[in-house]
């Protein structure tokens, strides 16, 4: 029986192709199948556009297999499960045929990544390797030349606001609001009014050509917006 | 007057040279001065050993300027300030002479990095660029092929245990204990006894040759040990 392929999860970083790791670039220079989910049929996957400059250098670029399944941005868990299952089966077909599959994902594969849902469905059945990537929040801090945390600071990464936020506003030293485009004015006011001295900045499209750093919460909020709150009391 | 040099802070990742970014590698292939603090005179800097395979390929490797100032691991802030000030002035000398300086730091420059203290002292005086790096905690999760956070999980990064830990044990979904070698048995018992279903694993020397993943807290604790606590309740 032919040897089965390996699934390789690759974090492609926040936007700049140069923020791929050497390890990721090496895989992308030779892997036969690239798996790049997208959130809407008419949109190009951001992860795919990040790796395209690497892929284009390949001699076999025109014959390269790029699979772009739809992973819609919906909240319905049962519906989502169907998409992940069919993606996992699609990947399994390639692995069974002996081909390695690189699953590319924005940022890092272990931080709110669709890779993790798919990967779990293939665990124990296939060899899996996960290559970490630059997360958006450290790239945002780097873009502003400012540390996220120092000394004994505690850092909290919040993907979506829920009732627990107030607790973190009380006890964390730095807070990263991922996908800040979902913030509401009310939430921002609540944070602003919190009785602790703080610095707030937002980074839009970090490391991409249209990167923009703004003080405070941003009024325009493209999808890739991150807000960082640093409390300055001791 | 000669153009001043640029300070480039570079996150070199957790250990594997292949986890450098393309951007970091490119700088390291040509920068005239490498600044690599070390914690003890007799020790080799881990950050330096990570980039050495890149540096060794340089034609000018033997003439390359590698500066290794001592940044001791002490708690006394006033003492530390002296070391950072003298490091900043040392860097300033190189920058004034028109040479770029790459300040290499383990993991990412914005997460508990000595780079940030030095960099602040040079801000506004020189051009500064910060290149993010792979953080230890996403590398640890990748090594175990397991996500740190999914969906609406909240992630907390804790460098050192203080009175606030209990609060995070209550409200976070995942907790990263950095530098877990400082954990005490008492602390581990306190976490273990916390009345929430959880999974705990520790990674020693992540992505390095002697990497070791253990379930639970690790009994032997080399300096580079990270413990990840994932609560499995909803």
């Amino acid at each position: 029986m032919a040897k089965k392929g390996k699934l390789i999860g690759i974090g492609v970083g926040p936007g700049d192709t140069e923020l791929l790791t050497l390890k990721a670039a090496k895989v992308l220079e030779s892997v036969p199948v690239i798996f790049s989910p997208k959130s809407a049929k008419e949109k190009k996957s951001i992860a795919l556009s990040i790796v395209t400059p690497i892929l284009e250098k390949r001699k076999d670029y025109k014959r390269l297999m790029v699979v772009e399944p739809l992973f819609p941005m919906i909240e319905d868990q049962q519906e989502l499960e169907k998409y992940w299952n069919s993606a996992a089966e699609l990947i399994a077909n390639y692995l069974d045929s002996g081909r390695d599959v690189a699953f590319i994902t924005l940022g890092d594969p272990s931080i709110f990544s669709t890779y993790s849902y798919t990967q779990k469905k293939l665990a124990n059945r296939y060899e899996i390797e996960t290559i970490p990537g630059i997360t958006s929040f450290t790239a945002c801090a780097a873009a502003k030349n400012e540390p996220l945390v120092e000394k004994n600071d505690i850092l909290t990464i919040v993907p979506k606001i829920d009732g627990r936020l107030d607790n973190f506003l009380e006890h964390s030293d730095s807070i990263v609001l991922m996908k800040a485009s979902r913030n509401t004015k009310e939430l921002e006011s609540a944070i602003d009014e919190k009785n602790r001295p703080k610095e707030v900045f937002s980074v839009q499209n970090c490391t991409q050509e249209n990167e923009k750093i703004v003080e405070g919460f941003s009024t325009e909020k493209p999808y890739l917006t991150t807000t960082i709150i640093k409390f300055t009391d001791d």
Side-chain angles (χ1 to χ4, degrees), chain A:
Chain A
M1 215 181 80
K3 194 175 174 296
K4 283 181 180 176
K6 177 164 81 163
L7 172 63
I8 309 155
I10 298 181
V12 301
D16 182 353
T17 304
E18 295 274 289
L19 290 182
L20 280 171
T21 61
L22 299 173
K23 195 169 194 173
K26 197 177 271 182
V27 171
L28 292 168
E29 280 161 14
S30 66
V31 74
V33 184
I34 313 270
F35 199 84
S36 174
K38 52 195 225 172
S39 58
K41 266 189 188 139
E42 63 284 2
K43 272 193 194 163
K44 187 168 157 56
S45 139
I46 303 172
L48 188 58
S49 57
I50 292 171
V51 303
T52 297
I54 307 277
L55 303 179
E56 280 176 345
K57 286 186 197 147
R58 288 175 59 161
K59 284 185 185 148
D60 61 350
Y61 179 52
K62 286 185 179 165
R63 296 186 310 277
L64 183 64
M65 223 167 309
V66 178
V67 187
E68 295 184 84
L70 191 66
F71 277 23
M73 286 196 185
I74 53 175
E75 297 272 332
D76 184 330
Q77 283 306 310
Q78 278 194 317
E79 268 303 298
L80 280 172
E81 281 286 335
K82 285 184 205 162
Y83 284 98
W84 296 332
N85 277 324
S86 79
E89 287 320 305
L90 196 54
I91 292 172
N93 286 341
Y94 287 107
L95 299 176
D96 286 337
S97 74
R99 277 173 284 198
D100 293 344
V101 175
F103 189 124
I104 58 173
T105 185
L106 203 59
D108 178 274
S110 68
I111 307 276
F112 308 117
S113 150
T114 46
Y115 163 72
S116 61
Y117 312 126
T118 318
Q119 176 254 323
K120 269 189 250 177
K121 297 188 185 298
L122 297 164
N124 306 320
R125 288 167 61 193
Y126 301 95
E127 187 188 349
I128 296 179
E129 180 182 4
T130 306
I131 302 177
I134 301 292
T135 63
S136 59
F137 51 87
T138 69
C140 291
K144 202 165 183 296
N145 283 318
E146 202 164 311
L148 272 175
V149 271
E150 298 173 277
K151 293 168 192 159
N152 296 324
D153 288 348
I154 291 179
L155 170 67
T156 304
I157 315 294
V158 181
K160 195 184 175 181
I161 309 308
D162 61 30
R164 295 176 292 174
L165 182 67
D166 204 59
N167 169 72
F168 294 108
L169 289 177
E170 204 70 60
H171 298 284
S172 293
D173 297 295
S174 297
I175 296 178
V176 171
L177 296 179
M178 309 268 294
K179 300 187 192 169
S181 57
R182 298 187 291 192
N183 292 355
T184 61
K185 270 269 161 250
E186 288 69 27
L187 168 77
E188 294 173 7
S189 305
I191 294 172
D192 266 341
E193 283 159 19
K194 195 80 202 168
N195 194 20
R196 287 179 73 186
K198 65 185 103 42
E199 183 202 348
V200 179
F201 65 91
S202 301
V203 184
Q204 303 169 3
N205 302 311
C206 188
T207 80
Q208 297 183 28
E209 269 177 35
N210 52 351
E211 174 183 287
K212 195 170 160 187
I213 304 176
V214 297
E215 300 296 325
F217 296 93
S218 51
T219 44
E220 24 149 39
K221 287 170 187 161
Y223 172 59
L224 293 174
T225 300
T226 301
T227 294
I228 292 169
I229 301 158
K230 288 176 70 176
F231 292 103
T232 50
D233 46 1
D234 273 334

